[in-house]
Coordinates of all heavy atoms in Angstrom, one line a residue:
S1 N 245.2 69.7 154.6 CA 245.1 70.8 155.6 C 244.0 70.6 156.6 O 244.1 71.0 157.8 CB 244.9 72.2 154.8 OG 243.6 72.2 154.2
I2 N 242.9 70.0 156.2 CA 241.8 69.7 157.1 C 242.2 68.6 158.1 O 241.9 68.6 159.3 CB 240.5 69.3 156.4 CG1 240.1 70.4 155.4 CG2 239.4 68.9 157.3 CD1 238.9 70.1 154.6
L3 N 243.0 67.6 157.6 CA 243.4 66.5 158.5 C 244.4 67.1 159.6 O 244.4 66.6 160.7 CB 244.2 65.5 157.7 CG 243.3 64.6 156.8 CD1 244.2 63.6 156.1 CD2 242.2 63.9 157.5
L4 N 245.1 68.1 159.2 CA 246.1 68.7 160.2 C 245.4 69.6 161.2 O 245.7 69.6 162.4 CB 247.1 69.6 159.4 CG 248.1 68.8 158.6 CD1 249.0 69.7 157.8 CD2 248.9 67.8 159.4
I5 N 244.4 70.4 160.8 CA 243.6 71.2 161.7 C 242.2 71.3 161.2 O 241.9 72.0 160.2 CB 244.2 72.5 162.0 CG1 243.4 73.3 163.0 CG2 244.5 73.3 160.7 CD1 244.1 74.6 163.5
N6 N 241.3 70.5 161.8 CA 239.9 70.4 161.3 C 239.1 71.6 161.7 O 239.5 72.4 162.6 CB 239.3 69.1 161.7 CG 239.2 68.9 163.2 OD1 238.4 69.7 163.9 ND2 240.0 68.0 163.8
D7 N 237.8 71.7 161.2 CA 237.0 72.8 161.5 C 236.7 73.0 163.0 O 236.7 74.1 163.5 CB 235.6 72.6 160.8 CG 235.7 72.9 159.3 OD1 236.8 73.3 158.8 OD2 234.7 72.6 158.6
A8 N 236.4 71.9 163.7 CA 236.1 71.9 165.1 C 237.3 72.4 165.9 O 237.1 73.1 166.9 CB 235.6 70.5 165.6
A9 N 238.5 72.0 165.4 CA 239.7 72.4 166.1 C 239.9 73.9 165.9 O 240.3 74.7 166.9 CB 240.9 71.7 165.6
I10 N 239.7 74.4 164.7 CA 239.8 75.9 164.5 C 238.8 76.6 165.4 O 239.1 77.6 166.0 CB 239.5 76.2 163.0 CG1 240.7 75.6 162.1 CG2 239.4 77.7 162.8 CD1 240.5 75.8 160.6
E11 N 237.5 76.1 165.4 CA 236.5 76.8 166.2 C 236.9 76.8 167.7 O 236.6 77.8 168.4 CB 235.2 76.1 165.9 CG 234.6 76.4 164.6 CD 233.6 75.4 164.1 OE1 233.3 74.5 164.8 OE2 233.2 75.5 162.9
R12 N 237.4 75.7 168.1 CA 237.9 75.7 169.5 C 239.0 76.7 169.8 O 239.0 77.4 170.8 CB 238.4 74.3 169.9 CG 238.8 74.1 171.3 CD 239.1 72.7 171.7 NE 239.4 72.5 173.1 CZ 239.5 71.4 173.7 NH1 239.2 70.3 173.0 NH2 239.8 71.3 175.0
C13 N 239.9 76.8 168.9 CA 241.0 77.8 169.0 C 240.4 79.2 169.0 O 240.9 80.1 169.8 CB 242.0 77.6 167.9 SG 243.1 76.2 168.1
I14 N 239.4 79.5 168.2 CA 238.8 80.8 168.1 C 238.2 81.1 169.5 O 238.3 82.2 170.0 CB 237.8 80.9 167.0 CG1 238.5 80.8 165.6 CG2 237.0 82.2 167.1 CD1 237.6 80.7 164.4
E15 N 237.4 80.2 170.0 CA 236.7 80.4 171.3 C 237.7 80.6 172.4 O 237.5 81.4 173.3 CB 235.9 79.1 171.6 CG 234.7 79.0 170.7 CD 233.9 77.7 171.0 OE1 234.3 76.9 171.9 OE2 233.0 77.4 170.3
E16 N 238.9 80.0 172.3 CA 239.9 80.1 173.4 C 240.8 81.3 173.2 O 241.7 81.5 174.0 CB 240.7 78.8 173.5 CG 239.9 77.6 174.0 CD 240.7 76.3 174.0 OE1 241.8 76.3 173.5 OE2 240.2 75.3 174.5
G17 N 240.7 82.0 172.0 CA 241.5 83.1 171.7 C 242.9 82.8 171.4 O 243.8 83.6 171.6
R18 N 243.1 81.6 170.8 CA 244.5 81.2 170.4 C 245.0 82.0 169.2 O 244.2 82.3 168.3 CB 244.5 79.7 170.1 CG 244.0 78.8 171.2 CD 244.9 78.8 172.4 NE 244.6 77.8 173.4 CZ 245.2 77.6 174.5 NH1 246.3 78.4 174.8 NH2 244.9 76.7 175.4
G19 N 246.3 82.2 169.2 CA 246.9 82.9 168.0 C 247.5 81.9 167.0 O 247.5 80.7 167.2
M20 N 248.1 82.5 166.0 CA 248.7 81.8 164.9 C 249.8 80.8 165.4 O 249.9 79.7 165.0 CB 249.3 82.8 163.9 CG 249.7 82.2 162.6 SD 248.3 82.2 161.5 CE 249.1 81.6 160.0
K21 N 250.7 81.3 166.3 CA 251.8 80.5 166.8 C 251.3 79.3 167.5 O 251.8 78.2 167.3 CB 252.7 81.4 167.7 CG 253.9 80.6 168.2 CD 254.8 81.5 169.1 CE 256.0 80.7 169.6 NZ 256.9 81.6 170.4
Y22 N 250.4 79.4 168.4 CA 249.8 78.2 169.1 C 249.3 77.2 168.1 O 249.5 76.0 168.2 CB 248.8 78.7 170.1 CG 248.0 77.5 170.7 CD1 248.5 76.9 171.9 CD2 246.9 77.0 170.1 CE1 247.9 75.8 172.4 CE2 246.2 75.9 170.7 CZ 246.7 75.3 171.8 OH 246.1 74.2 172.3
M23 N 248.5 77.7 167.2 CA 247.8 76.8 166.3 C 248.8 76.0 165.4 O 248.7 74.8 165.2 CB 246.8 77.6 165.4 CG 245.7 78.2 166.2 SD 244.7 79.4 165.2 CE 243.7 78.3 164.2
S24 N 249.8 76.7 165.0 CA 250.9 76.1 164.2 C 251.7 75.1 165.0 O 251.9 73.9 164.5 CB 251.8 77.2 163.6 OG 252.9 76.6 163.0
E25 N 252.0 75.4 166.2 CA 252.9 74.5 167.0 C 252.0 73.3 167.5 O 252.5 72.2 167.4 CB 253.5 75.2 168.1 CG 254.5 76.3 167.7 CD 255.7 75.7 166.9 OE1 256.1 74.6 167.3 OE2 256.1 76.3 166.0
H26 N 250.8 73.6 168.0 CA 250.0 72.5 168.6 C 249.6 71.5 167.6 O 249.6 70.3 167.8 CB 248.8 73.1 169.3 CG 248.0 72.1 170.0 ND1 248.3 71.5 171.2 CD2 246.8 71.5 169.6 CE1 247.4 70.6 171.5 NE2 246.4 70.6 170.6
F27 N 249.2 72.0 166.4 CA 248.7 71.1 165.4 C 249.7 70.6 164.3 O 249.4 69.9 163.4 CB 247.5 71.7 164.7 CG 246.3 71.8 165.6 CD1 246.0 73.0 166.2 CD2 245.5 70.8 165.8 CE1 245.0 73.2 167.1 CE2 244.4 70.9 166.7 CZ 244.1 72.1 167.3
G28 N 251.0 71.1 164.5 CA 252.0 70.7 163.6 C 251.8 71.0 162.1 O 252.1 70.2 161.2
I29 N 251.4 72.3 161.9 CA 251.1 72.7 160.6 C 251.9 74.0 160.3 O 252.0 74.9 161.2 CB 249.6 73.0 160.3 CG1 249.3 73.5 158.9 CG2 249.0 73.9 161.4 CD1 247.8 73.5 158.6
S30 N 252.5 74.1 159.2 CA 253.4 75.3 158.9 C 252.5 76.6 158.8 O 251.3 76.5 158.6 CB 254.1 75.1 157.5 OG 253.2 75.2 156.5
N31 N 253.2 77.7 159.0 CA 252.4 79.0 159.0 C 251.8 79.2 157.6 O 250.6 79.6 157.5 CB 253.4 80.1 159.2 CG 253.7 80.2 160.7 OD1 253.0 79.8 161.6 ND2 254.9 80.8 161.0
Q32 N 252.5 78.8 156.5 CA 252.0 79.0 155.2 C 250.7 78.1 155.0 O 249.7 78.6 154.5 CB 253.0 78.6 154.1 CG 252.6 78.8 152.7 CD 253.6 78.4 151.7 OE1 254.6 77.8 152.0 NE2 253.4 78.7 150.4
A33 N 250.8 76.9 155.4 CA 249.7 76.0 155.2 C 248.5 76.4 156.1 O 247.3 76.3 155.7 CB 250.1 74.5 155.5
L34 N 248.8 76.9 157.3 CA 247.8 77.4 158.2 C 247.1 78.6 157.7 O 245.8 78.7 157.8 CB 248.4 77.7 159.6 CG 247.4 78.2 160.6 CD1 246.3 77.2 160.9 CD2 248.2 78.4 162.0
E35 N 247.8 79.5 157.1 CA 247.2 80.7 156.5 C 246.2 80.3 155.4 O 245.0 80.8 155.4 CB 248.3 81.6 155.9 CG 249.1 82.3 156.9 CD 250.2 83.2 156.2 OE1 250.0 83.7 155.1 OE2 251.3 83.3 156.8
I36 N 246.6 79.4 154.6 CA 245.7 78.9 153.5 C 244.5 78.2 154.1 O 243.3 78.4 153.7 CB 246.4 78.0 152.5 CG1 247.5 78.8 151.8 CG2 245.5 77.4 151.5 CD1 248.5 77.9 151.0
R37 N 244.7 77.4 155.1 CA 243.6 76.7 155.7 C 242.6 77.6 156.4 O 241.4 77.4 156.2 CB 244.2 75.7 156.8 CG 243.2 75.0 157.7 CD 242.5 74.0 156.9 NE 241.5 73.3 157.7 CZ 240.2 73.5 157.7 NH1 239.6 74.4 156.8 NH2 239.3 72.9 158.5
L38 N 243.1 78.6 157.1 CA 242.2 79.6 157.7 C 241.4 80.4 156.7 O 240.2 80.7 156.9 CB 243.0 80.5 158.6 CG 243.6 79.9 159.9 CD1 244.5 80.9 160.6 CD2 242.5 79.3 160.8
K39 N 242.1 80.7 155.6 CA 241.4 81.5 154.6 C 240.2 80.7 154.0 O 239.1 81.2 153.9 CB 242.4 81.8 153.5 CG 241.8 82.4 152.2 CD 242.9 82.7 151.2 CE 242.4 83.0 149.8 NZ 243.4 83.2 148.8
F40 N 240.5 79.4 153.7 CA 239.4 78.5 153.2 C 238.3 78.3 154.2 O 237.1 78.2 153.9 CB 240.0 77.2 152.7 CG 240.6 77.3 151.4 CD1 241.8 76.5 151.2 CD2 240.1 78.0 150.4 CE1 242.4 76.6 149.9 CE2 240.8 78.1 149.1 CZ 241.9 77.4 148.9
Y41 N 238.7 78.2 155.5 CA 237.7 78.0 156.6 C 236.8 79.2 156.6 O 235.5 79.0 156.7 CB 238.4 77.9 157.9 CG 237.5 78.0 159.1 CD1 236.7 76.9 159.5 CD2 237.3 79.2 159.8 CE1 235.9 77.0 160.6 CE2 236.5 79.3 160.9 CZ 235.7 78.2 161.2 OH 234.8 78.3 162.3
L42 N 237.3 80.4 156.5 CA 236.4 81.6 156.5 C 235.5 81.7 155.3 O 234.4 82.1 155.4 CB 237.3 82.9 156.6 CG 238.1 83.1 157.9 CD1 239.0 84.3 157.8 CD2 237.1 83.2 159.1
M43 N 236.1 81.3 154.2 CA 235.3 81.3 152.9 C 234.2 80.3 152.9 O 233.0 80.6 152.6 CB 236.2 81.1 151.7 CG 237.2 82.2 151.5 SD 238.5 81.8 150.3 CE 237.6 81.4 148.8
F44 N 234.5 79.1 153.3 CA 233.5 78.0 153.2 C 232.5 77.9 154.4 O 231.4 77.6 154.2 CB 234.2 76.6 153.0 CG 234.9 76.4 151.7 CD1 236.2 76.3 151.6 CD2 234.1 76.4 150.5 CE1 236.9 76.1 150.4 CE2 234.7 76.3 149.3 CZ 236.1 76.1 149.2
N45 N 233.0 78.3 155.5 CA 232.2 78.1 156.7 C 231.5 79.4 157.1 O 230.5 79.3 157.8 CB 233.1 77.7 157.9 CG 233.6 76.3 157.8 OD1 234.4 76.0 156.9 ND2 233.2 75.4 158.6

């Protein structure tokens, strides 16, 4: 999940105000995997 969308990529999306659909499509990660990835990002970071 980190290889698909790394921390810096998530932070860039947050700064740019990107939504779930953009993140899923741009980084080629399913919604389910993205939800889990974002959850762990918020917990660990």
Side-chain angles (χ1 to χ4, degrees):
S1 67
I2 299 176
L3 291 181
L4 291 174
I5 180 166
N6 61 68
D7 287 353
I10 292 175
E11 287 157 7
R12 182 170 183 168
C13 287
I14 292 173
E15 291 175 3
E16 295 176 350
R18 302 293 189 179
M20 192 89 173
K21 182 177 179 180
Y22 171 88
M23 296 169 77
S24 174
E25 295 300 321
H26 182 76
F27 292 97
I29 181 172
S30 70
N31 286 336
Q32 181 181 11
L34 180 57
E35 287 178 33
I36 296 171
R37 173 71 180 103
L38 292 174
K39 174 181 168 182
F40 283 141
Y41 169 81
L42 293 174
M43 291 167 61
F44 289 118
N45 293 66

